[in-house]
Amino acid sequence: MSGTPDFDAYLRTIAEFTDDELIPFEPEMVDAGQVPDRIVRRMAELGLFGISIPPDYGGFGWTMEQQVLLTLEFTRASCVYRSRFSTVIGLCSQAILDHGTEEQRREMLPDMAAGRQVTSFALSEPEAGSDATNVQTTARRTGDGWVLDGSKRYITNAHWADTLLVFARTDDAEVSAFLVDRTAPGVSTRIPDLMNGHAEGPVGEIDLDSVVVAEDRLLGGVPGAGLTAAMRGINHARLHVAATCVGQATRMLEETTRHVQNRHQFGAPLSELGVVQAQLGRCYSEMEAGRALTLDAARSFDAGTIPRHRISAAKLFCSEMVGRVADQCVQLLGGEGIVGPHPVPRMWRDVRTLRIYEGASAIHERNLGRAMTRSVASEGVLPDSYRVR
């Protein structure tokens, strides 16, 4: 990338890209069963793979608030588009940026920012989903590196990534992270036959059978730091998911409002019915509450301290909010919500996954409740509190 553009101009460019290319090409994406290669190339040309990566490593280095504002725009289109670069801008780049060696950062980040190096965050396993500490994949030290064995599942971009960021339990029983070439001997990936949502960007499974990796592939060069690195990426990604939920709700409400304005029943547009107006108004207020919460968490992030509890609250609220909005929109569409190519029912299926990705809702509720009781007991205030002390 040649320099960092003016942010407001770039935001307008991404808004126009969403309106002129991403949204119009959704039917083509659905028919092809995948994001067309030319759209992926356009996303790379526009710099979407580099929005979170600092200029020193080839990206734009936008603040978290700016990243959220961009996400609110490009996720008015199908959130499947975002999945193609989400693991680059969030989970993987942030772990490498904060916990990789300088050599690893110089090697990986410029190509990631340019869209030449797609990375995948390989943490989840059959027995390590919500309980990420229960990783069973192993990394056994050898004379000049490591040998990895195990399996991963539900991994975004696993099947077409260039590099996998694999979390494995090392000889000391601690979790470490490794940069693994997806085409290395012993690595195999596969995608499911059926997805309930996100069908055009399916998650994948990874098998690791005696995969040999060199010593310099250990992230940061230090074993045992894997979960710390994972949480750095996860907190970043959770805030992006919250923004994605708001972007999706925005599109669905716009599509549905147009429908009720144009659909006549009993001699008048549906939009004149009080019950319809009440449903739309409630959805709008919830969407705007999610937007405010997400932007507030982003500003706190930019202030220098990661507000992990507020980020968790934003992800929880927004993912539940977009599910309610989607359900109401499908209901207001009537038959078109069930039959035919209208985008809202497809988005309804897609957003259901967001209540599971980056921590299921029940886990966020539990963790926030625990944090509240600990914080009030020790500090007298709620976690990430705004109270003056």
Side-chain angles (χ1 to χ4, degrees):
M1 299 178 193
S2 56
T4 301
D6 172 75
F7 177 74
D8 290 338
Y10 185 72
L11 183 61
R12 287 193 295 273
T13 296
I14 297 306
E16 291 168 1
F17 173 58
T18 302
D19 289 328
D20 298 342
E21 298 183 56
L22 293 183
I23 290 175
F25 288 130
E26 286 174 350
E28 179 183 338
M29 177 187 71
V30 172
D31 288 342
Q34 62 183 10
V35 180
D37 288 342
R38 75 173 187 284
I39 294 294
V40 177
R41 288 194 298 271
R42 282 287 290 143
M43 292 190 294
E45 289 168 3
L46 289 170
L48 285 175
F49 284 82
I51 63 174
S52 66
I53 295 173
D56 285 350
Y57 300 105
F60 290 141
W62 300 124
T63 66
M64 181 58 83
E65 182 179 3
Q66 290 170 326
Q67 293 173 48
V68 164
L69 291 171
L70 288 165
T71 302
L72 293 173
E73 288 299 329
F74 58 69
T75 59
R76 289 186 294 107
S78 169
C79 57
V80 173
Y81 289 126
R82 172 192 169 273
S83 72
R84 288 306 301 266
F85 58 91
S86 63
T87 51
V88 172
I89 63 175
L91 292 166
C92 294
S93 66
Q94 301 310 297
I96 294 169
L97 185 63
D98 278 18
H99 297 279
T101 65
E102 181 60 17
E103 291 76 12
Q104 289 167 344
R105 289 192 287 267
R106 292 289 173 192
E107 174 197 346
M108 297 289 298
L109 294 175
D111 281 346
M112 290 169 66
R116 294 188 298 265
Q117 173 85 236
V118 175
T119 50
S120 187
F121 190 83
L123 176 60
S124 296
E125 297 181 1
E127 302 302 325
S130 297
D131 182 8
T133 63
N134 195 34
V135 167
Q136 301 297 308
T137 296
T138 61
R140 176 172 50 84
R141 189 186 285 278
T142 62
D144 55 357
W146 302 82
V147 176
L148 275 58
D149 287 281
S151 61
K152 303 288 180 178
R153 69 174 179 177
Y154 308 144
I155 308 300
T156 300
N157 289 330
H159 200 55
W160 41 77
D162 301 292
T163 301
L164 308 170
L165 184 59
V166 175
F167 294 84
R169 198 167 294 281
T170 44
D171 298 333
D172 57 3
E174 296 292 332
V175 176
S176 302
F178 297 86
L179 298 165
V180 179
D181 186 337
R182 188 183 59 82
T183 62
V187 178
S188 60
T189 64
R190 59 190 177 278
I191 54 178
D193 295 327
L194 182 64
M195 289 277 293
N196 183 20
H198 279 253
E200 302 78 26
V203 297
E205 297 189 6
I206 304 169
D207 288 324
L208 305 157
D209 183 8
S210 298
V211 178
V212 177
V213 296
E215 183 66 34
D216 64 0
R217 300 294 84 191
L218 174 64
L219 187 69
V222 179
L227 290 180
T228 301
M231 286 310 302
R232 174 63 181 89
I234 287 170
N235 277 307
H236 191 106
R238 283 174 175 167
L239 202 43
H240 280 212
V241 169
T244 298
C245 295
V246 178
Q248 294 284 280
T250 301
R251 168 79 178 289
M252 287 189 289
L253 283 174
E254 289 175 348
E255 296 278 2
T256 302
T257 302
R258 278 191 285 271
H259 172 84
V260 299
Q261 287 173 323
N262 295 324
R263 173 70 167 160
H264 286 68
Q265 292 287 282
F266 308 108
L270 286 177
S271 58
E272 292 186 9
L273 293 175
V275 66
V276 171
Q277 294 168 353
Q279 288 172 317
L280 290 174
R282 183 168 57 252
C283 289
Y284 179 83
S285 66
E286 288 201 42
M287 178 191 71
E288 286 302 308
R291 186 190 311 274
L293 177 56
T294 302
L295 283 167
D296 179 78
R299 293 177 188 124
S300 295
F301 190 108
D302 290 332
T305 301
I306 297 177
R308 59 190 181 93
H309 301 300
R310 200 171 300 144
I311 289 172
S312 177
K315 194 276 173 182
L316 169 63
F317 177 84
C318 291
S319 61
E320 292 288 334
M321 173 275 293
V322 76
R324 291 190 293 271
V325 168
D327 194 65
Q328 287 291 338
C329 287
V330 169
Q331 191 71 20
L332 288 170
L333 287 172
E336 286 192 49
I338 303 299
V339 179
H342 199 284
V344 165
R346 168 171 47 81
M347 298 176 76
W348 172 57
R349 293 190 297 273
D350 288 343
V351 301
R352 181 60 183 86
T353 66
L354 301 177
R355 290 158 61 186
I356 298 172
Y357 285 5
E358 311 305 342
S361 292
I363 298 300
H364 286 285
E365 290 171 338
R366 183 200 66 174
N367 290 348
L368 286 168
R370 287 179 173 178
M372 290 167 65
T373 56
R374 286 196 301 265
S375 183
V376 169
S378 61
E379 307 273 341
V381 297
L382 296 174
D384 294 341
S385 177
Y386 282 112
R387 281 188 51 194
V388 176
R389 286 177 281 175

